Amino acid sequence: MPLETVALDERWLPEALAYLRRSPYRNALPLSNITQLRQQCDVVLVHSAGLVQGVASHYRDLPFLGLTFVAELDDAMPLLVGALAERVPALRGASLTTVIPEQRVRQLATCAVFESLETEYQMVVEPETLRPVHSPLVRRLRPDDLPAMDALAALGKLVAWRPEVLSHGPAFGAFAGDELVAMAATHFATPDVVEIGNIVTHPEQRRRGLASACTVALAQACFSLAPRVFLMVMAENAAAFAAYRALGFWPAERYAFVRFRLML
């Protein structure tokens, strides 16, 4: 049967959800883009006789251009990225980024020229493996904390920081007096899976376990939102990897952080 592309709408949403939910961890980013973040995303899908064969999306609120995708068939990739680029012309010819499972790199290579590729680990945790780390300096962050969160994010050079972070899920911070000195926040929270991140400590407050305490408090809160919680860490960041392993996270899958240009 021929493949056809359509923009995601209410008619196709249940089918797209069922398709992506077959692998909630691996498809976490696409799931977030058709659920919690849908109003800020452009989403297209490929189907054959009504059966979804792929989904691609672009999240508009990031400070850089990017896309993510899931494709059942290699033949779906040119259709997916072509349809997405029609909706978002800025994707044509621009330097883009994506974070995808390594097994999808080959598919992306059929329609893109790579500029760089780095390895990340998707590290997952469960309530039974999460190891308690508590600090009386840690509390849940509120909207009135946003200026301090923005300042700490800038100090930590968080590349995917967005001021609307508290609308995506809980965040926890550690304070030295009135100063926010460490935090961890939610990237997105769907009913299926939550990604946490934006974990940062003020340089003068490191090695006190404050970011670990914030991360544990955040993970515990997120388990009330979804049964799956994960974070991402660059493979070269051995210190962060060891710190998350000590908290009970483990590497579930290798991902690729790719900078590329589409061949359209």
Side-chain angles (χ1 to χ4, degrees), residues 34-119:
I34 70 168
T35 54
Q36 185 186 47
L37 306 180
R38 185 180 175 194
Q39 296 304 311
Q40 292 80 43
C41 293
D42 297 282
V43 186
V44 298
L45 60 86
V46 167
H47 72 93
S48 176
L51 296 177
V52 176
Q53 302 292 330
V55 179
S57 57
H58 162 67
Y59 179 44
R60 296 188 293 271
D61 281 359
L62 287 174
F64 45 82
L65 285 171
L67 60 82
T68 189
F69 68 90
V70 181
E72 190 83 5
L73 304 170
D74 290 349
D75 292 347
M77 279 299 297
L79 292 173
L80 274 174
V81 298
L84 189 60
E86 285 186 12
R87 294 183 62 84
V88 189
L91 299 179
R92 295 180 180 271
S95 181
L96 309 177
T97 65
T98 191
V99 179
I100 52 176
E102 279 194 339
Q103 68 174 31
R104 294 178 187 163
V105 170
R106 178 185 57 80
Q107 291 179 310
L108 182 61
T110 64
C111 56
V113 176
F114 291 178
E115 297 176 341
S116 65
L117 189 152
E118 300 173 82
T119 300

Side-chain angles (χ1 to χ4, degrees), residues 7-259:
L8 182 69
D9 58 18
E10 295 305 315
R11 150 73 176 88
W12 285 101
L13 183 58
E15 284 79 3
L17 281 170
Y19 174 75
L20 295 174
R21 282 173 170 161
R22 293 186 299 181
S23 185
Y25 277 123
R26 187 170 290 173
N27 297 336
L29 286 174
L31 273 169
S32 73
N33 286 356
I34 70 168
T35 54
Q36 185 186 47
L37 306 180
R38 185 180 175 194
Q39 296 304 311
Q40 292 80 43
C41 293
D42 297 282
V43 186
V44 298
L45 60 86
V46 167
H47 72 93
S48 176
L51 296 177
V52 176
Q53 302 292 330
V55 179
S57 57
H58 162 67
Y59 179 44
R60 296 188 293 271
D61 281 359
L62 287 174
F64 45 82
L65 285 171
L67 60 82
T68 189
F69 68 90
V70 181
E72 190 83 5
L73 304 170
D74 290 349
D75 292 347
M77 279 299 297
L79 292 173
L80 274 174
V81 298
L84 189 60
E86 285 186 12
R87 294 183 62 84
V88 189
L91 299 179
R92 295 180 180 271
S95 181
L96 309 177
T97 65
T98 191
V99 179
I100 52 176
E102 279 194 339
Q103 68 174 31
R104 294 178 187 163
V105 170
R106 178 185 57 80
Q107 291 179 310
L108 182 61
T110 64
C111 56
V113 176
F114 291 178
E115 297 176 341
S116 65
L117 189 152
E118 300 173 82
T119 300
E120 293 190 49
Y121 291 114
Q122 183 186 52
M123 301 191 72
V124 306
V125 70
E126 295 181 355
E128 296 80 9
T129 67
L130 186 63
R131 295 168 187 165
V133 177
H134 302 292
S135 171
L137 304 179
V138 172
R139 66 163 172 82
R140 186 161 180 164
L141 296 173
R142 307 180 298 255
D144 59 304
D145 294 312
L146 271 173
M149 296 171 71
D150 286 339
L152 187 57
L155 184 65
K157 300 179 180 179
L158 300 181
V159 296
W161 176 256
R162 302 181 299 280
E164 64 274 16
V165 62
L166 290 179
S167 68
H168 297 161
F172 284 79
F175 289 79
D178 295 330
E179 182 183 6
L180 179 68
V181 295
M183 68 178 178
T186 303
H187 282 305
F188 59 78
T190 77
D192 299 282
V193 60
V194 177
E195 182 185 2
I196 64 175
N198 290 321
I199 301 166
V200 62
T201 303
H202 191 288
E204 296 178 2
Q205 299 289 337
R206 289 174 180 161
R207 301 188 184 279
R208 298 179 59 193
L210 297 178
S212 292
C214 292
T215 302
V216 169
L218 177 58
Q220 290 172 332
C222 287
F223 279 123
S224 68
L225 304 176
R228 304 171 187 88
V229 175
F230 75 94
L231 54 77
M232 303 296 295
V233 62
M234 301 302 295
E236 64 186 21
N237 193 343
F241 182 89
Y244 298 138
R245 287 290 288 130
L247 297 180
F249 289 79
W250 73 92
E253 186 157 2
R254 289 169 61 95
Y255 272 62
F257 175 67
V258 189
R259 292 183 177 87

